[in-house]
């Protein structure tokens, strides 16, 4: 489940198998046996998962991982190419290092749709002010963004910076009977913004550090790319010992859509609570 955001004084509108690689993993008390021809289509190889986790861990090199595992760099390279595999004790040490389970490491798909995701990083966002508006409907994203854009135009804000997030306060009847869900959109206010527009509350957020991932062309497969971006970010945080911050005075997570050179991108943000360590 994705992080949720408090709704204090929030105005709400209610509107009626990769490639040909196949592997099966058998785990015994002291050894892991790998055999072919039993890997599901939605799973990745051990080597792909290991490479993904290594790069997520502060950009770790093969040499650095080899040093930590007490093996040669060539051995790491063979692991990542699935031409050799670690023994049980070493596999467990890899799981401890990367904060994952054996099942995830050996059989999971830890980096699905990786080509769509770029530039995973930490950002310190300075303090900013914003207004927000939520909609519960069959298509709440468009409705919420449209309303906030209209508000910004009425207040004289040119090229408004719009962010959004899932709005969780939806009844089971709205979900199950009417197939509705919720979405909140917000306009980040320019630093010198002063207006008599008072129909939406102006909220101030203090500076906050976020883990961020960029999705290229997110709407070509929105129902998989966007949720997987959150999962990838959470994995990045786990691997690097970062904790998710949830507090009513900050936005725990949000999304921002923009265009660069004619390509639509989305940045996904998750608030980070742990001390600087990268």
């Amino acid at each position: 489940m994705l992080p949720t955001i408090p709704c204090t004084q929030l105005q709400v509108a209610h509107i009626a198998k990769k490639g040909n690689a196949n592997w099966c993993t058998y785990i015994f008390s002291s050894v892991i046996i790998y055999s072919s021809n039993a890997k599901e289509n939605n799973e990745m190889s051990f080597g792909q998962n290991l490479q993904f986790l290594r790069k997520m861990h502060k950009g770790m090199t093969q040499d650095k991982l080899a040093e930590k595992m007490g093996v040669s760099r060539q051995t790491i390279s063979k692991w990542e190419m699935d031409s050799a595999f670690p023994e049980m004790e070493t596999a467990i040490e890899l799981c401890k290092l990367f904060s994952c389970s054996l099942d995830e490491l050996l059989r999971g798909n830890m980096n699905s749709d990786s080509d769509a995701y770029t530039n995973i990083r930490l950002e310190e966002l300075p303090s900013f002010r914003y207004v927000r508006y939520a909609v519960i409907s069959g298509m709440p994203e468009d409705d919420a963004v449209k309303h906030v854009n209209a508000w910004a135009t009425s207040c004289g804000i040119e090229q408004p910076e719009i962010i959004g997030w899932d709005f969780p306060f939806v009844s089971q009847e709205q979900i199950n009977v009417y197939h509705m869900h919720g979405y909140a959109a917000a306009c980040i206010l320019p630093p010198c913004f002063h207006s008599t527009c008072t129909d939406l509350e102006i909220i101030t957020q203090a500076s906050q550090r976020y883990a961020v991932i960029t999705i290229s062309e997110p709407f070509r497969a929105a129902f998989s790319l966007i949720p997987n971006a959150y999962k990838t970010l959470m994995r990045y945080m786990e691997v690097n010992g970062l904790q998710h911050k949830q507090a009513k005075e900050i936005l725990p997570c949000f999304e921002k859509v923009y265009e660069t050179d004619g390509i639509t991108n989305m940045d996904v943000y998750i608030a980070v609570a742990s001390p600087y360590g990268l």
Side-chain angles (χ1 to χ4, degrees):
M1 182 176 292
L2 298 183
T4 59
I5 292 179
C7 65
T8 305
Q9 298 182 344
L10 174 59
Q11 187 169 352
V12 181
H14 293 262
I15 302 177
K17 161 190 192 169
K18 287 203 168 185
N20 295 317
N22 295 305
W23 292 96
C24 180
T25 308
Y26 300 92
I27 303 175
F28 294 91
S29 59
S30 60
V31 66
I32 305 173
I33 300 175
Y34 305 82
S35 62
S36 62
N37 299 323
K39 187 173 173 64
E40 297 295 334
N41 290 339
N42 65 346
E43 293 179 349
M44 296 181 76
S45 71
F46 160 74
Q48 288 173 303
N49 285 332
L50 179 61
Q51 185 180 66
F52 169 68
L53 290 169
R54 173 176 62 79
K55 292 179 178 179
M56 292 276 276
H57 190 70
K58 309 175 186 178
M60 178 182 286
T61 64
Q62 286 186 341
D63 286 318
K64 189 67 175 177
L65 180 56
E67 181 182 337
K68 282 185 172 292
M69 293 295 106
V71 299
S72 67
R73 187 201 62 78
Q74 289 78 10
T75 296
I76 300 298
S77 179
K78 289 179 181 179
W79 290 351
E80 293 186 356
M81 291 188 296
D82 287 319
S83 61
F85 303 94
E87 295 183 351
M88 171 64 84
E89 288 186 4
T90 305
I92 291 173
E93 288 303 311
L94 287 169
C95 292
K96 290 179 181 178
L97 176 63
F98 296 127
S99 301
C100 66
S101 68
L102 270 174
D103 191 61
E104 288 174 319
L105 177 62
L106 301 177
R107 301 192 301 145
N109 184 351
M110 306 185 80
N111 192 23
S112 59
D113 300 302
S114 60
D115 291 344
Y117 305 131
T118 59
N119 195 19
I120 302 177
R121 70 244 184 226
L122 289 176
E123 285 187 15
E124 183 78 25
L125 294 188
S127 176
F128 61 90
R129 297 181 303 152
Y130 64 96
V131 298
R132 59 187 177 182
Y133 185 80
V135 171
I136 298 172
S137 72
M139 295 285 290
E141 294 87 353
D142 291 343
D143 296 332
V145 171
K146 181 179 179 181
H147 183 94
V148 170
N149 266 314
W151 180 90
T153 299
S154 71
C155 293
I157 300 175
E158 298 181 0
Q159 298 180 331
E161 184 177 0
I162 306 298
I163 62 175
W165 58 88
D166 285 340
F167 180 69
F169 303 99
V170 184
S171 71
Q172 286 303 308
E173 181 182 18
Q174 289 169 323
I175 295 171
N176 298 330
V177 178
Y178 299 105
H179 307 291
M180 293 178 169
H181 61 285
Y183 193 81
C187 175
I188 296 179
L189 302 176
C192 57
F193 175 80
H194 296 286
S195 174
T196 57
C197 301
T198 57
D199 54 326
L200 292 179
E201 177 192 10
I202 294 179
I203 303 160
T204 300
Q205 173 167 303
S207 61
Q208 172 62 41
R209 188 167 60 136
Y210 286 87
V212 190
I213 189 171
T214 298
I215 317 173
S216 178
E217 300 290 358
F219 301 113
R220 61 186 169 87
F223 291 106
S224 61
L225 288 175
I226 297 174
N228 281 336
Y230 279 95
K231 289 170 60 177
T232 301
L233 263 187
M234 295 299 286
R235 172 64 63 187
Y236 167 80
M237 292 167 64
E238 289 174 5
V239 166
N240 290 287
L242 302 169
Q243 306 229 338
H244 178 214
K245 181 176 181 178
Q246 298 193 69
K248 67 178 183 179
E249 67 270 14
I250 59 103
L251 296 175
C253 63
F254 62 89
E255 306 151 3
K256 181 171 70 173
V257 177
Y258 58 95
E259 288 200 6
T260 303
D261 299 326
I263 297 175
T264 299
N265 295 299
M266 174 186 284
D267 286 346
V268 174
Y269 293 74
I270 296 180
V272 171
S274 62
Y276 289 94
L278 296 184

